[in-house]
Amino acid sequence: MIDASTFLRRALLADAVFSGIAALGFTFGAGAFASLFNLPEALLRETGLFLIAYTALVGWLASRACLAKPLVLLVAIGNAAWTVASISLLLSGTVSPNLAGELMVVAQAIATGVFAELQYVGLRKSGNAVAA
C-alpha cells in the first residue's frame, strides 16, 4: 500500500469522470453513436458496459487515501494498452468509421494515454509504503 498523492487521486478521479460519461453514452446511446460514427453498435455498447465497471473501480481508487500500488499500476498500464488498441483498431481495417468516428477514436485514445501518463506520474509523486 502507498500513501496516494493528491495528484494521483485527481488523475484517477478525472479518468473516472471521463470514463463514466463515455460509459453512459456508449451503453445507452450505442445506436445513435453507431450511426454518427459509422462504428458497430455492439462494439460501442460492449465498450460502454465495460466502462461502467471500470468507472466504479477507478472512482473507488480515487476515493482512497492508501492504495495498492500494483492495482494503480495496472490501471495505468491498462490505459496505455487501451490507447494502443484504439489506434490499432483504426489501422486494422476491422472497422470503417467515417471521419467523425476516426476523430472520436483518436481523441479518446489521446485522452486515455494522457490519463495513463498522469497516473504514472501520480504514482511517482505518492508517498512511501504504509502499513495496511
Side-chain angles (χ1 to χ4, degrees), residues 99-115:
L99 180 60
E102 289 178 357
L103 292 173
M104 184 276 298
V105 171
V106 169
Q108 66 81 32
I110 291 168
T112 305
V114 168
F115 288 134

Side-chain angles (χ1 to χ4, degrees), residues 19-112:
S19 298
I21 292 167
L24 292 174
F26 289 158
T27 299
F28 300 109
F33 283 121
S35 297
L36 179 64
F37 298 134
N38 197 39
L39 287 167
E41 185 175 343
L43 172 67
L44 295 173
R45 182 165 288 111
E46 290 167 12
T47 298
L49 292 171
F50 168 79
L51 287 174
I52 290 171
Y54 177 80
T55 298
L57 170 67
V58 177
W60 178 78
L61 286 172
S63 72
R64 307 283 99 191
C66 294
L67 298 169
K69 186 175 182 176
L71 188 54
V72 177
L73 193 55
L74 179 66
V75 168
I77 291 169
N79 277 332
W82 185 285
T83 298
V84 172
S86 296
I87 300 304
S88 297
L89 178 67
L90 288 180
L91 297 175
S92 72
T94 304
V95 295
S96 300
N98 56 24
L99 180 60
E102 289 178 357
L103 292 173
M104 184 276 298
V105 171
V106 169
Q108 66 81 32
I110 291 168
T112 305

